[in-house]
Amino acid sequence: MKRAAVIAALSFLALPAFAQTKNGKSETYKDIIEKAYNLSLQRDRQQALNILATAIQRETRPQAISELKKTTSEVANVFFSDKAQQLFENGVSLRKTDLNQALDKVTEAARIEPDNFSIINEQARLLIAKGDCKNAQENVQKQLKVVSFDEELKLSLAQALICQNRWLDYQKVADTVVIKRSPQQKFWQALEVEKSLGQKSLTKAQDALANLKKSDEKYPELYYWNWKYGQTLKKNNPEEAQKYVMSCKNISANQYRQYMIDPMLCRRLVEVEGELKGMNGTPE
């Protein structure tokens, strides 16, 4: 949602909050939501997130929990500053062509809004792509202490842990997500393949590859992991390698945006093209 639209929504929803508290009524979850919106309008994101997290822990009603979590996501990701949003968007647009500049832009945005989850996640992905996975992990873990249920933060943390070959720590994070129901299923399945291959568990890797194909057979990293699985079996698999190279070289801007939650999206071209040359194969 655009910043202006979110801020307008926050303003509209926040107005009744003070009237309700003045009436002396016991505080409902809707009161908490309105209080969080008011705090957001004052740019006090951390306090807004804290009271929402506390309310979620107390709640037992599914609808109330759902609404509180939805509000949490809005508050966590809304941009309060036009400059921060512009820097963030510039960084995103540079990610494919210039990682260093992209990270510089997003880091500058983080200085303005250090607790904005959109910025934190993008910064983590850029750090992972550059191989600075420990810092990516630490940045994400700080916010997960505030909002422990946020799946996109969990995914960023999982990606940072996989990057460090910390399989057991990754598994602890993955176990908190129902991967087959997740809107980010393809990215979790890619991590499951990588973990299984790293642990030499070929049966699990095969299952994860099948699930990855079911979730999105056009995802470029599917071709990469099919190729790596074939290599583990000592099979030459140039067709999958060529599919990976060509899908990455021909990826459109819209497709790239669709898959860029994966920090390693199309970042293994040098590895794959080198192997193809070694097999006397060339991308078509």
Side-chain angles (χ1 to χ4, degrees):
M1 191 182 293
K2 297 292 186 182
R3 173 178 172 267
V6 174
I7 293 294
L10 297 185
S11 301
F12 176 77
L13 289 167
L15 291 175
F18 298 118
Q20 289 183 334
T21 56
K22 284 178 181 178
N23 288 338
K25 295 179 181 177
S26 60
E27 197 169 50
T28 69
Y29 81 90
K30 289 186 181 292
D31 295 335
I32 295 292
I33 287 173
E34 290 165 350
K35 185 181 291 186
Y37 282 139
N38 275 299
L39 286 165
S40 296
L41 288 171
Q42 298 167 40
R43 302 194 175 196
D44 192 350
R45 195 194 316 265
Q46 283 298 309
Q47 182 63 13
L49 293 176
N50 285 337
I51 66 168
L52 288 165
T54 301
I56 289 167
Q57 289 175 351
R58 290 199 308 252
E59 267 296 344
T60 57
R61 294 165 294 177
Q63 182 178 348
I65 293 171
S66 177
E67 289 185 35
L68 286 163
K69 286 186 174 182
K70 179 176 180 289
T71 304
T72 300
S73 179
E74 289 174 355
V75 169
N77 289 282
V78 66
F79 285 88
F80 297 140
S81 160
D82 287 328
K83 184 176 181 181
Q85 184 169 19
Q86 184 177 16
L87 286 164
F88 170 81
E89 291 294 342
N90 287 343
V92 168
S93 66
L94 286 165
R95 198 215 281 191
K96 183 180 177 183
T97 56
D98 193 327
L99 271 180
N100 290 327
Q101 279 198 49
L103 184 56
D104 286 347
K105 297 290 185 185
V106 174
T107 300
E108 193 175 347
R111 291 191 191 104
I112 301 170
E113 294 193 25
D115 51 6
N116 182 313
F117 283 19
S118 294
I119 295 173
I120 291 163
N121 278 311
E122 182 60 17
Q123 189 176 40
R125 292 171 196 134
L126 289 165
L127 288 168
I128 292 167
K130 286 177 62 65
D132 192 357
C133 304
K134 186 74 163 60
N135 271 332
Q137 172 200 334
E138 290 172 354
N139 289 351
V140 172
Q141 281 178 324
K142 288 177 186 176
Q143 293 307 318
L144 274 169
K145 289 178 181 177
V146 180
V147 183
S148 60
F149 59 82
D150 188 277
E151 188 183 333
E152 197 163 338
L153 284 176
K154 288 183 182 181
L155 179 57
S156 294
L157 176 59
Q159 290 164 336
L161 292 169
I162 284 283
C163 172
Q164 299 172 76
N165 297 332
R166 293 176 57 175
W167 314 123
L168 292 177
D169 290 329
Y170 158 78
Q171 195 59 56
K172 290 176 184 176
V173 178
D175 286 345
T176 67
V177 177
V178 182
I179 292 177
K180 290 189 177 180
R181 296 181 188 172
S182 168
Q184 314 297 350
Q185 178 183 163
K186 63 174 79 64
F187 306 112
W188 287 105
Q189 294 293 358
L191 294 178
E192 287 290 304
V193 177
E194 187 169 0
K195 179 203 72 171
S196 299
L197 290 177
Q199 294 181 322
K200 312 295 183 187
S201 180
L202 299 187
T203 300
K204 289 183 178 179
Q206 187 178 35
D207 291 343
L209 276 168
N211 289 329
L212 179 55
K213 185 175 181 179
K214 284 179 186 176
S215 63
D216 190 341
E217 61 183 10
K218 295 181 180 179
Y219 178 29
E221 298 308 303
L222 169 64
Y223 306 131
Y224 175 79
W225 290 116
N226 275 333
W227 174 66
K228 292 297 285 186
Y229 177 73
Q231 279 193 321
T232 304
L233 297 177
K234 309 296 183 186
K235 291 181 180 179
N236 286 333
N237 201 6
E239 295 83 7
E240 292 298 315
Q242 288 169 345
K243 285 179 184 177
Y244 175 74
V245 171
M246 297 312 295
S247 66
C248 286
K249 287 191 171 182
N250 295 323
I251 195 167
S252 68
N254 286 338
Q255 287 173 320
Y256 192 86
R257 286 253 180 174
Q258 178 184 349
Y259 295 118
M260 67 188 301
I261 288 177
D262 184 344
M264 298 306 295
L265 175 65
C266 292
R267 299 220 167 265
R268 301 173 174 106
L269 278 171
V270 173
E271 173 194 353
V272 178
E273 288 183 309
E275 289 287 336
L276 282 171
K277 288 177 183 177
M279 292 186 290
N280 295 318
T282 55
E284 296 176 2

